[in-house]
Amino acid sequence: MTAEQQHEQALLLLRDYEDSGAGWFWASNAEGRVIYISQCIAQRLECPHVELLDRQVQSLFILERDENDGVERTLPLLLSARKTFNDLAVRAAVEGHEVWWSISGRPQFDSEGTFIGYRGNGTDITALRQSQRDASRLAEYDSLTGLANRHRMGKRLLSTLNAYQAARRACAVMMIDLDRFKQVNDTLGHQAGDELLKQVAQRLQSVIAEKGCEIGRLGGDEFQILLPDLDDRGRLGEIAQKIIQMVSQPYQIEGSRVIIGASVGVAISPYDGVGADELVRSADLALYASKGGGRGQFRFYSSDLHAEAERRRQIEDDLRDALARNQIWLAYQPIIETKSDRVIGVESLLRWTHPELGDVSPAVFIPIAEEAGLIGALGDWALKQACADAARWPGTLRVAVNVSPVQFTNVGFAGVVTQALANSGLEPERLELELTESIFLNDDQVTDDAFSSLKLLGVRLALDDFGTGYSSLGYLRKAPFDKIKIDQGFIRGVTEPGSRNRAIISAIVSLAGALDMDTTAEGIEAHDELGLMRELGVKQIQGYIYAQPLPEMMVAEALEDGTWTIKPEGPSKYRPERRTVLRKVGLIHEDHRYEVTMRNLSRTGAMIEGLVDVPVGEKFVVDFGEGQLAVAEVRRSAGAMQGLEFETPLVDDGAGGLCTRHRVSPYLIVQAGMQLTALQPGQSLLPGMMPGTVGLSMPKFGQVNERARGNRAA
Ligand code: C2E
Ligand code: MG
Ligand code: MG
């Protein structure tokens, strides 16, 4: 083969190679202008081939900076240094084209050693790049919901907190856990569960519109939201409430109606944690407390929660043997016929006398029992005990027993009821089971079946706590209830002018009448409430105005003389109770810090006791602890008691309590020369303001010595 033939063969091979798309070539002259570039590049960039020629090489490619090699390099720099380069990742410098290449170049010199340009080659790495990008997306985002994943949220939190510490800015973290998600997953299947999570994610995105916020799914039904620059607990409480509301609206999943709830825990940096781990732990603890508080709630972190969590754990532990140790008993609260004041039934209510904690409320231990899987045993016991007690009473008084949704959806439940009736000999129509709306949250067969078997037994069914949950009147038509119990939440404030509850109760009463159901109003305490219930036609009343829950002995005694009537006795008007708190707070005046007792607390003010001769109009700073300071003015003053009004009203803390909107920032404490830590209980916030510290000047007000007073009283 001649040299010319060889040359031609080489050219053909080159063309073939270029056409195969496996790679391409380029060459430039001494001025750095393109003198050769493979045809396929023009095609790839959708431009005429001539347009690529005679251009500066660096006008075609942009060097992708490699984040890992810290060396700052640019293509023009490399070219002007006449260096060889290999496998540089570059991007096409043409708008609208997502094309990446890996290019190499070798400088060329003539026989005299003069630089004459570059020759090089390249390969298309666009597909590889895209799959790398997808992989990194996969590594940072949750593929189901598209939200950030745990990894990304952790990274984001860490970098935010680092940056914010230097800038002394605040950042809030919310932890969200779905209530009852497991039930949906178990009854409707994983696919339905996945669909539900997707819809929850969309709702969260619609609630959180704030710039700079990020929503993540940490796994399962656990979500997290990062809210930079937010430390206003009023605003955060509103957001948490909105989240709970939005998540709790019904969902349509594969043709079924599904309702879940949400619990939210909130912690704010630097108050509740300085580092990411500490902050997340605080938010987790707040979430745990909100779930323990009965679900569908939010909670702010506070250092009290550690003790509360400990108490909850103790309650859970001790609850396991409470039955065996005879600490559990039943109280019975009379239910009265409105028109005759006659007791026509009683509701059995679980009571737990704990050896150390005293009486633990069922509102506290029932949710714990449900979560810990102990409700079955407790519920069965209550059912048997109530039936046995009622069977012994003279007459035909009805007994109502509360049934947890967890207990009700247990397949063996109808069997337990049959047993309890058989063992006691109680007539089925004297037993009434109180169920709550939450059993309807899923359309499912188990619920329908349980209803039919109970109806077959002949027991009565009451819908408890109506008005607290989802309150859809729709299901009343299909579920065979004998009674609706209107929750005390509906009764509260019903007599106040402008209350809508009056109209709602009136609607419930007429609906119940039409469906041949009884109505019981719960929690009636005052005569004005009782009067209104009579006027609205509510058939039965249960509440302190007639009787508190009573020990079994008192019921048996009352029934001895045949009929049992009770005269209503109570205040004429319902007075919303001021939250009585009775705790120590600090009172700062000039440079003195006094310790006083807080007698009650409302959003706008507090009653304190402990100082004497304080004139009206005097201003104090109330120190509630943990950085919560409120400026207050004395509005009333008598002896050692003062009524204070806050300059800025307090906000809900999610747990039925109140807290200040803002707190003293730990950054300020740093300024006072202390180390940056989250707020500690009892921490002295202002130098020289330690409890009991004597200031520079004489204290202006005399302090009442509580202990001395207590001794005198004793
Ligand atoms: P519930 O079934 O709605 O019971 C009525 C609650 O209202 C009782 O609280 C009762 O003491 C209270 N109450 C009655 N009248 C008044 C009033 O005039 N004013 C006020 N402020 N409260 C009144 P209790 O005994 O603390 O029970 C709380 C909840 O615990 C019950 O609410 C029920 O949901 C649950 N519970 C109690 N016993 C059982 C049980 O045996 N099984 C199950 N699953 N839950 C139970
Ligand atoms: Mg009840
Ligand atoms: Mg109730």
Side-chain angles (χ1 to χ4, degrees):
M1 212 188 269
T2 64
E4 197 163 320
Q5 280 172 323
Q6 280 274 342
H7 187 70
E8 205 154 284
Q9 200 57 44
L11 266 180
L12 282 174
L13 280 170
L14 186 96
R15 280 281 131 77
D16 249 18
Y17 181 74
E18 284 185 324
D19 289 347
S20 76
W24 50 273
F25 301 101
W26 65 282
S28 64
N29 61 17
E31 288 90 59
R33 293 183 187 278
V34 177
I35 52 170
Y36 180 88
I37 191 155
S38 300
Q39 201 75 44
C40 62
I41 300 301
Q43 281 159 15
R44 193 78 169 87
L45 299 178
E46 295 170 311
C47 69
H49 186 246
V50 288
E51 275 186 21
L52 299 176
L53 296 175
D54 215 29
R55 284 169 63 157
Q56 289 289 328
V57 176
Q58 61 259 37
S59 75
L60 285 179
F61 310 116
I62 297 167
L63 186 62
E64 281 279 291
R65 272 249 302 288
D66 186 349
E67 281 167 18
N68 299 322
D69 88 14
V71 203
E72 185 88 9
R73 291 176 308 179
T74 64
L75 198 53
L77 214 68
L78 279 171
L79 293 170
S80 64
R82 293 170 189 177
K83 290 237 173 88
T84 297
F85 54 88
N86 286 306
D87 302 324
L88 279 187
V90 294
R91 189 155 50 84
V94 180
E95 274 216 31
H97 285 80
E98 284 274 298
V99 180
W100 281 276
W101 292 290
S102 164
I103 60 168
S104 302
R106 292 164 299 281
Q108 304 296 315
F109 302 92
D110 66 10
S111 49
E112 263 105 71
T114 315
F115 173 70
I116 53 169
Y118 265 95
R119 273 190 219 148
N121 58 305
T123 49
D124 196 312
I125 54 165
T126 309
L128 180 72
R129 275 271 149 161
Q130 274 165 352
S131 76
Q132 274 171 354
R133 219 179 31 186
D134 289 350
S136 80
R137 235 200 109 69
L138 219 63
E140 295 220 319
Y141 291 91
D142 167 37
S143 57
L144 180 66
T145 59
L147 299 178
N149 63 15
R150 181 184 286 276
H151 172 69
R152 184 182 163 82
M153 289 305 282
K155 247 176 42 182
R156 177 85 205 273
L157 183 63
L158 210 62
S159 61
T160 306
L161 291 185
N162 279 341
Y164 275 34
Q165 236 176 71
R168 305 198 159 179
R169 285 155 71 177
C171 177
V173 169
M174 276 187 189
M175 301 291 293
I176 303 161
D177 192 284
L178 305 182
D179 301 334
R180 302 175 10 83
F181 174 75
K182 191 179 167 313
Q183 250 165 289
V184 174
N185 227 16
D186 291 351
T187 52
L188 298 180
H190 283 281
Q191 222 164 344
D194 282 357
E195 178 56 32
L196 181 57
L197 290 172
K198 270 195 239 177
Q199 293 192 25
V200 169
Q202 283 162 6
R203 291 188 189 182
L204 290 179
Q205 279 167 320
S206 73
V207 178
I208 306 295
E210 265 93 349
K211 254 183 66 189
C213 292
E214 179 137 25
I215 312 173
R217 178 175 162 243
L218 303 187
D221 60 346
E222 204 185 357
F223 296 83
Q224 186 183 58
I225 306 178
L226 211 74
L227 303 121
D229 287 316
L230 205 53
D231 65 353
D232 175 345
R233 289 193 285 184
R235 178 82 193 104
L236 283 164
E238 281 165 22
I239 295 175
Q241 201 61 61
K242 186 89 185 285
I243 288 173
I244 293 166
Q245 261 171 20
M246 286 294 278
V247 172
S248 307
Q249 299 301 311
Y251 298 79
Q252 207 59 46
I253 307 278
E254 295 169 354
S256 301
R257 203 174 108 104
V258 169
I259 300 182
I260 54 165
S263 303
V264 181
V266 188
I268 310 163
S269 163
Y271 310 88
D272 307 323
V274 174
D277 287 346
E278 192 187 4
L279 188 63
V280 168
R281 240 181 294 127
S282 295
D284 266 333
L285 190 61
L287 176 64
Y288 179 73
S290 76
K291 285 189 97 81
R295 289 137 191 270
Q297 295 186 349
F298 70 89
R299 263 312 195 42
F300 291 118
Y301 169 84
S302 92
S303 66
D304 303 344
L305 294 186
H306 293 278
E308 198 178 303
E310 193 39 58
R311 201 174 97 98
R312 228 174 98 80
R313 260 188 293 274
Q314 188 193 350
I315 287 178
E316 186 179 325
D317 271 358
D318 295 351
L319 197 53
R320 291 178 198 281
D321 341 288
L323 263 181
R325 297 194 171 156
N326 292 322
Q327 294 164 0
I328 302 276
W329 53 283
L330 284 180
Y332 293 97
Q333 187 177 28
I335 298 170
I336 284 89
E337 188 181 51
T338 316
K339 60 170 197 255
S340 65
D341 286 346
R342 217 163 49 87
V343 179
I344 49 138
V346 289
E347 175 179 5
S348 69
L349 294 159
L350 274 171
R351 291 293 176 262
W352 179 16
T353 310
H354 189 283
E356 291 148 38
L357 301 173
D359 289 331
V360 183
S361 163
V364 170
F365 72 81
I366 298 280
I368 295 177
E370 285 173 345
E371 202 136 298
L374 301 170
I375 191 66
L378 273 175
D380 291 357
W381 179 86
L383 192 63
K384 288 196 181 116
Q385 187 65 39
C387 288
D389 286 347
R392 277 197 313 270
W393 297 331
T396 56
L397 197 71
R398 280 199 186 114
V399 67
V401 179
N402 290 286
V403 177
S404 153
V406 183
Q407 208 183 343
F408 182 76
T409 45
N410 190 328
V411 199
F413 181 63
V416 176
V417 177
T418 313
Q419 272 268 305
L421 289 171
N423 289 352
S424 62
L426 187 74
E427 296 85 11
E429 61 273 15
R430 286 181 60 197
L431 176 63
E432 189 162 75
L433 300 178
E434 295 196 0
L435 308 168
T436 55
E437 292 170 90
S438 55
I439 54 167
F440 296 107
L441 297 186
N442 304 339
D443 304 320
D444 68 53
Q445 201 53 45
V446 184
T447 308
D448 293 351
D449 292 350
F451 264 118
S452 345
S453 12
L454 291 173
K455 275 280 86 166
L456 273 176
L457 285 178
V459 298
R460 286 169 53 96
L461 300 176
L463 179 59
D464 201 359
D465 299 346
F466 188 81
T468 49
Y470 311 96
S471 304
S472 149
L473 290 171
Y475 52 62
L476 287 182
R477 295 177 195 283
K478 64 169 198 179
F481 283 109
D482 301 286
K483 175 193 274 196
I484 303 178
K485 298 191 77 173
I486 304 165
D487 189 72
Q488 51 174 297
F490 249 126
I491 306 298
R492 294 289 92 89
V494 69
T495 54
E496 273 159 36
S499 167
R500 293 172 57 223
N501 291 2
R502 183 195 169 107
I504 297 171
I505 292 174
S506 152
I508 296 172
V509 170
S510 59
L511 179 75
L515 295 172
D516 208 19
M517 297 178 188
D518 283 342
T519 39
T520 301
E522 292 188 87
I524 303 293
E525 295 185 8
H527 282 283
D528 61 339
E529 293 169 337
L530 180 62
L532 185 59
M533 293 307 120
R534 287 203 163 116
E535 190 188 319
L536 294 176
V538 177
K539 286 199 188 148
Q540 300 162 6
I541 303 291
Q542 182 179 351
Y544 297 167
I545 194 162
Y546 283 105
Q548 304 242 350
L550 310 167
E552 194 273 334
M553 231 175 56
M554 289 179 72
V555 176
E557 247 167 53
L559 286 170
E560 262 168 15
D561 23 295
T563 54
W564 183 10
T565 55
I566 307 178
K567 280 250 146 305
E569 236 175 87
S572 61
K573 252 175 92 63
Y574 177 77
R575 259 173 276 105
E577 64 172 317
R578 274 207 148 204
R579 305 183 209 215
T580 35
V581 273
L582 267 200
R583 69 174 173 100
K584 296 270 181 231
V585 294
L587 219 53
I588 299 166
H589 184 265
E590 291 172 355
D591 54 3
H592 282 277
R593 187 186 194 282
Y594 304 89
E595 282 256 305
V596 296
T597 303
M598 184 164 67
R599 294 256 159 229
N600 66 36
L601 179 67
S602 75
R603 216 170 273 278
T604 52
M607 185 71 79
I608 53 140
E609 185 174 11
L611 296 188
V612 282
D613 298 333
V614 182
V616 168
E618 200 69 61
K619 282 199 174 177
F620 288 96
V621 174
V622 184
D623 181 357
F624 293 101
E626 297 191 38
Q628 303 190 90
L629 300 182
V631 177
E633 190 176 323
V634 177
R635 278 303 156 101
R636 277 174 299 148
S637 186
M641 296 268 257
Q642 283 82 37
L644 301 180
E645 186 183 66
F646 301 131
E647 201 171 79
T648 314
L650 303 183
V651 295
D652 279 329
D653 70 353
L658 297 164
C659 61
T660 57
R661 223 171 231 283
H662 298 281
R663 285 172 286 174
V664 175
S665 168
Y667 293 134
L668 272 177
I669 302 172
V670 172
Q671 269 175 351
M674 281 178 257
Q675 221 189 336
L676 181 64
T677 57
L679 295 173
Q680 308 293 324
Q683 183 172 29
S684 126
L685 295 168
L686 311 167
M689 286 289 182
M690 287 290 283
T693 312
V694 180
L696 298 172
S697 57
M698 292 289 289
K700 192 163 171 188
F701 306 111
Q703 183 123 28
V704 179
N705 187 333
E706 297 262 337
R707 214 170 312 140
R709 284 200 333 152
N711 287 343
R712 228 176 302 141

